[in-house]
Structure formats: C-alpha cells, structure tokens
C-alpha cells in the first residue's frame, strides 16, 4: 500500500502538477494520433514543454518583481491582514493530507477525461498546478467532516472532474469572443471573475473602443509597443509607491528593502534605482509570458486535432489564464491595475463594516493574483465592452477575489486560522458551497454536494449546446455599436489595429 501511495504521489508531484510535462505529453499524444514522424513528435512535444517553461519563467520574473512592491504597499498603507497565496496554503495542507490530495487529483483527472469523452463538454483541463490546488481545497473542506477517507476521495474526485469540464464550458462564449476561434478554452480557476468581467463589459461598454486602439500623440507613439508601455507604467507605479513608503516608514526601512552588494553602502539613490529596475523586470516578465503563449499555441492547437479525432472527439485544450494575454496586451495592464483598485476598495469596506459586523478576516490584495486574474479579466471585459469594460470588469474581479477568500476561511476548519488562503474566485465560491453543504450533516452534505455537481454539469451542457455550439457571441451588440460609431466618426477609426471579429481587439496570428 505504501508503494502505491508513493507512486501516486510521484505522479502527482513530479508529472501531473507540472503543467509543462502535461502539455508536452498531451502534445506528443496528439501528434502520435496524427501519425507524425518520430522527429515531429519529439520536436513538437519539446517545443510545447519549452513554451510552458517560458510562461513559467516569465511568471517567476513577474512574481519576483511584485513581491517587494506588495511589501511597500502594505508599509505605505499600514494595512495588516491575510494575503491569499495558493502555493502557501497548499504547502501547509500537503504535510497532513498529501496522499489524499494525490488520489483525488489522479482520480479526478481520469474521470474528467471520461466526462470529456462521453458528454458534450469536450474540454481537457491542462493547468496541472490548478488541478492540484482544487484537489487540495476539496481535501481540506472534506477533512472537516467525519466521512471515511475512501468516501472523501471518491466524492472529491467527482467534484474535481465536474469543475474541470464544466467551468471551461461556462466561460467558452466569452473566451471565444476574446480570441482563439474556439480552439482553446480557459482552464484556470478564476472563471467566475472572467465571466463576471465579460458580462460587466456587456453592460457598461456598448460604444467604448478597445484598449488596443488607444490614439496617442506623435511624441507618444512609442507606447504602442505593449512591452514598452507595460514597463514604463510599472516603473512609474513602483517609484511612486517607493517614495510614499520612504516617507511613511523612514529611511532605515527603505534601505532594507533592496540590500546592495556586499561592500557597497546602502543609499536612497540605490533604493530608488532598484525600484526602477523592478518595474523594468516586470515588463520583461510580461514579454516572456507572451512569447511562451505564442510558442505553445503553435504546437498544442494543431496536435489537439489528433486527440479530437481519436481520443476525445472535438477536444479543446483548457489552458492557464495567460493564454489570453496576447489578444489584448494593453487590457492586461489596465485589468491588473483596476482589479487591484477593486481589491483596495473592498478591503476598505471590509475594514469599516464587514469586519466589525461579521468578523470577516481582512484580505489584503495580493499583487500576483490581481495581475494574473485581473489581467485576464481586463482582456475579457475589453472583448465585450472596450476600455470601459476592461476597467469595470477587472474591478469586479478584484472585489470577488477579496470577498470570497474571507468567507472561504470559515469552511477550512483548522486551516481557517492560517495567515493565508486560496486566492482565485472559483476556489472561493466552490469551497464555500461545499463547506456549507456539510453544515447539514455528513449524509446531507454528500447529497447536496452531488446535487451541486449535477447542477453544474447540467448547466454547463446547456451553455455548450445553446450558446457555444450555436455560436452565441456575447460581444455582438458591442461590435455593432462600434460599427455604427465608426460610420458616424470615421476619422476616429484605426484600421491597422482594429479587427471586426474582436470588437477592436487585434488577434495575433498563431505563428506570430
């Protein structure tokens, strides 16, 4: 038995939880199904792996650049509270529930492939680390019950499999509007935030132009380069926060933020210039992510034709949130900033009202979840509502990922007192729903959890049949309004950056 557990943990920790390996294997399987040569199979698989490693490398650069900024923001604002960090809470839970998490993840992934094969939801969820995070969340919530381990594993696997195929389907109309022509889906557990952002864009941005169509004076044309615009924006933000941090916390605290090399005296000048460097590093990280996305799409999407033909007919890869970044690169930065502002506003409301009345923990806006989920929410909001949609949609995402983690702490048992929790929207609402289902007792909880899973699956099938397969476009009204506006204001249009199918959002070619 111990050997089986060890094998399961090895598969989870060393293969399934590494998105690059999973995507490489899936790409290779697709190329084998297409009967490609050995060289093409090996080359395609490796290139897909390298694409995901590029995304990871870019994400690491972004996270490294954001960490000190988060510390300075907390110091400048004087805020204290819980910082949602998926990796941290998962690491804490692994010590107690590692084997159970492994079995839920393996069984859930296998069952999701069965559902993808035999239901209309032909989505293959490939974001391995998010599968691990959701398996861990379900394990932690079910650990608060008196269910036997075998029952917990079986129930957790069913719930995991359902969300893995249902959530990509529920978001697919908006994902298809963003780009990809239905050949990719979102496989990231921030889906509620993305759908909310897209729906918000529909409400507020009927005639708003795309973030990608910003008209700039001749002297600012260089800002059309998204990498330059992102880096410059982050440099300005970083320096502004650094100055406020210095003013509030004093010179000593400022000098400790960026220790210089050994033998060099720390100075305020070094502190300021390191802030500039971190902003530039952020821009580099975003550029690396975008290149990684383009690399992996060039290999994975064609390979999935083989899987669609032989393994899961019509299979659609569900991929991590940055997969949508290239479709509206300006919207990523707009979404990040707007989501963060939404988090700050919600934190203020919680501190003044919700914390005293309900005793909710104060959730500090973590820059990493706000960048990745907020950036993606900005892209979704822009696709259906242009600039206003990007701002308002990402703001809504910021509210969700600040409120939901606070309520989630109440169903995590002993882990509710940890100084961290899960950060993305789907962990919040799904964990809360399952947790409160078991407030009726173990038997009632199992029944209600299965009813929730069945309702989610049925709802996703309805959306797939009536919206996705029938070609419903949530941005059609926005596109029509833009076309009407272009007829009355032709001088405002910019044909070089406008795409009629994307509501003003430029869609990059696969090989670009």
């Amino acid at each position: 038995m111990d050997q089986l557990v060890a094998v399961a943990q090895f598969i989870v920790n060393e293969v399934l939880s590494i998105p690059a390996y999973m995507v490489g294997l899936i790409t290779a399987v697709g190329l084998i199904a297409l009967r490609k040569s050995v060289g093409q199979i090996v080359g395609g698989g490796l290139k897909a792996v390298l694409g995901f490693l590029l995304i990871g490398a870019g994400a690491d650069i972004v996270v490294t650049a954001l960490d000190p900024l988060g510390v300075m923001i907390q110091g400048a604002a004087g805020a204290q509270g819980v910082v949602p960090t998926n990796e941290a809470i998962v690491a804490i839970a692994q010590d107690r529930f590692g084997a159970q998490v492994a079995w839920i993840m393996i069984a859930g992934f296998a069952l999701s492939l069965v559902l993808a094969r035999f239901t209309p939801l032909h989505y293959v969820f490939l974001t391995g680390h998010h599968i691990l995070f959701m398996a861990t969340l379900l394990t932690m919530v079910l650990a608060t019950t008196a269910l036997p381990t075998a029952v917990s594993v079986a129930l957790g696997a069913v719930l995991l499999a359902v969300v893995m195929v249902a959530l990509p389907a529920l978001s697919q109309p908006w994902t298809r509007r963003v780009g990809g022509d239905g050949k990719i889906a979102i496989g990231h557990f921030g889906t509620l935030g993305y759908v909310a952002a897209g729906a918000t864009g529909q409400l507020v941005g009927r005639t708003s132009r795309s973030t990608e169509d910003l008209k700039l004076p001749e002297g600012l044309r260089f800002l059309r380069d998204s990498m330059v615009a992102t880096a410059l924006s982050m440099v300005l933000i970083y320096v502004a926060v650094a100055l406020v941090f210095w003013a509030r916390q004093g010179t000593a605290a400022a000098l400790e933020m960026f220790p210089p090399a050994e033998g060099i005296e720390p100075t305020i000048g070094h502190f300021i210039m390191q802030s500039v460097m971190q902003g530039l590093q952020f821009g580099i990280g975003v550029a690396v992510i975008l290149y990684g996305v383009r690399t992996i799409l060039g290999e994975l999407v064609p390979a999935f034709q083989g899987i669609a033909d032989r393994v899961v007919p019509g299979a659609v890869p569900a991929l991590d949130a940055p997969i949508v970044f290239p479709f509206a690169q300006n919207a990523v930065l707009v979404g990040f900033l707007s989501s963060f502002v939404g988090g700050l506003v919600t934190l203020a409301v919680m501190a003044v009202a919700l914390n005293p009345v309900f005793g909710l923990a104060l959730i500090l806006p973590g820059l990493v979840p706000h960048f990745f989920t907020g950036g993606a929410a900005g892209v979704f909001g822009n696709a259906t509502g242009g600039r206003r949609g990007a701002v308002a949609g990402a703001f809504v995402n910021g509210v969700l990922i600040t409120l939901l983690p606070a309520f989630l702490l109440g169903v995590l048992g002993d882990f509710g007192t940890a100084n961290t929790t899960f950060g993305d929207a789907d962990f919040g609402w799904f964990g809360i729903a399952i947790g409160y289902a078991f407030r009726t007792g173990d038997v009632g909880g199992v029944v209600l959890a299965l009813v929730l899973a069945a309702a989610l699956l049925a709802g996703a099938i309805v959306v797939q049949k009536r919206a996705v397969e029938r070609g419903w476009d949530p941005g059609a009204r926005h596109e029509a309004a833009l076309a009407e506006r272009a007829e009355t204001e032709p001088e405002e249009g910019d044909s070089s950056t406008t795409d009629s199918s994307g509501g003003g959002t430029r869609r990059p070619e696969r090989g670009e």
Side-chain angles (χ1 to χ4, degrees):
M1 183 64 183
D2 291 340
Q3 290 180 335
L4 290 176
V5 171
V7 169
Q9 288 181 318
F10 173 82
I11 293 173
V12 167
N13 296 329
E14 304 299 334
V15 180
L16 295 182
S17 64
I18 309 297
Y21 293 160
M22 282 187 64
V23 169
L25 290 172
I26 291 294
T27 301
V29 169
L31 294 173
I32 290 171
L34 288 173
R35 298 181 179 178
K36 298 293 185 180
S37 68
V38 174
Q40 290 174 313
I41 294 169
V42 173
L46 280 177
K47 197 168 183 181
V49 170
L50 292 174
F52 248 92
L53 291 178
L54 279 169
I55 295 174
D60 288 342
I61 295 172
V62 167
V63 170
T64 301
L66 289 178
D67 280 345
L69 181 60
V71 173
M72 288 194 295
I73 288 175
Q74 291 183 35
Q80 298 292 327
V82 175
V83 180
T85 309
N86 297 329
E87 292 80 2
I89 192 69
V90 167
I92 294 171
Q94 284 291 323
D95 290 338
R96 286 174 56 183
F97 303 113
Q100 190 168 330
V101 169
W103 284 114
I104 287 179
M105 185 173 179
I106 292 174
F109 184 73
L111 183 56
S112 74
L113 293 180
V114 174
L115 291 175
R117 175 66 178 84
F118 295 105
T119 72
L121 309 177
H122 305 310
Y123 300 95
V124 180
F125 199 103
L126 294 177
T127 310
H129 61 292
H130 260 238
I131 302 174
L132 174 63
F133 296 164
M134 184 60 81
T136 304
L137 168 69
L138 292 170
T139 300
M140 293 167 68
V141 172
L142 295 175
T144 63
T145 72
L147 294 175
T149 300
V151 175
S152 294
V153 168
L155 178 60
V158 170
L159 296 173
L160 177 61
V162 168
V163 295
M164 286 171 64
V165 297
L167 295 186
L170 292 173
S171 61
Q172 189 63 354
W174 288 272
T175 306
R176 187 169 55 189
R177 176 65 186 177
V178 165
D181 301 323
K183 295 179 181 178
I184 58 171
I186 281 290
H188 186 273
F189 290 126
T191 308
L192 176 61
Y194 309 144
V195 172
T200 301
Q202 291 174 260
L203 291 174
V204 305
R206 185 168 180 268
T207 60
S208 179
R209 295 191 186 279
S210 170
T211 56
E212 313 310 290
D213 294 340
L214 293 171
K215 295 184 70 65
L216 298 171
E218 189 64 36
L220 297 178
R221 291 281 177 173
F222 67 93
L223 292 177
R224 282 188 177 276
D225 187 316
S226 63
M227 182 170 67
V228 173
T230 300
L232 181 58
S233 300
M234 286 306 298
V235 165
L236 295 176
I237 292 170
Y238 229 116
V239 171
V241 172
L243 292 175
V244 175
F245 178 81
W246 178 24
R248 292 205 59 178
Q249 299 297 322
T251 301
L255 296 180
E256 291 176 0
M257 280 300 304
F258 304 109
E262 187 176 352
I264 299 178
E265 188 71 20
T267 64
I268 287 300
H270 175 77
F271 168 66
I272 298 299
M273 291 311 298
Q274 281 299 305
S275 297
V276 172
M277 180 57 70
Q278 293 299 322
L280 296 175
Q281 291 285 345
F282 181 94
I284 292 173
V286 172
V288 173
I289 289 173
L290 295 175
Y291 182 72
V293 168
R294 290 169 181 151
T295 300
I296 192 172
L297 284 180
E299 299 299 323
L300 183 62
V301 173
F304 249 71
Q305 295 174 0
I307 296 176
D309 290 341
R310 290 175 169 78
V311 183
V312 180
V316 178
L319 302 166
D320 205 349
I323 209 72
V324 302
F325 286 5
F327 296 110
Q329 298 173 28
N330 294 339
V332 174
L333 181 60
V334 171
F336 164 45
L337 297 176
S338 184
S339 179
F340 185 69
V341 171
L344 289 177
V345 171
T346 308
L347 172 63
V349 173
M350 293 173 69
V352 172
L354 299 181
N355 177 265
V357 175
F358 299 105
L360 292 180
L362 298 180
I363 304 297
L364 300 182
L367 290 179
V368 173
H370 279 287
F371 171 69
F372 288 104
T373 69
V379 175
F380 276 77
N382 177 69
T384 59
R387 301 164 198 172
R388 288 199 297 270
V391 172
F395 186 93
V396 170
N397 176 78
V399 173
L400 290 174
I401 65 173
T402 305
L403 275 179
L404 290 174
F407 286 98
L408 178 63
L409 287 171
V411 300
L412 294 182
D414 296 340
F415 294 97
T417 58
N419 197 35
T420 187
T421 186
F422 293 91
D424 301 332
D426 295 336
F427 298 122
W429 73 263
F430 196 60
I432 292 168
I434 300 301
Y436 276 94
F438 278 92
R439 296 290 174 90
T440 63
D442 289 347
V443 175
V446 171
V447 172
L448 289 177
L450 292 175
V451 168
L452 173 63
L456 188 60
L457 192 65
I461 291 174
V462 170
V463 170
Q464 180 69 23
K465 289 286 190 180
R466 296 188 178 181
V468 178
E469 294 180 6
R470 294 183 182 180
W472 175 66
D473 183 357
R477 189 180 69 165
H478 173 59
E479 185 175 343
L482 283 177
E484 181 179 345
R485 178 178 175 179
E487 291 178 0
T488 58
E489 303 175 13
E491 71 278 1
E492 291 296 320
D494 186 352
S495 60
S496 64
T497 57
T498 302
D499 181 276
S500 62
S501 63
T505 301
R506 181 177 179 272
R507 300 177 184 229
E509 298 296 328
R510 292 292 173 220
E512 183 175 307

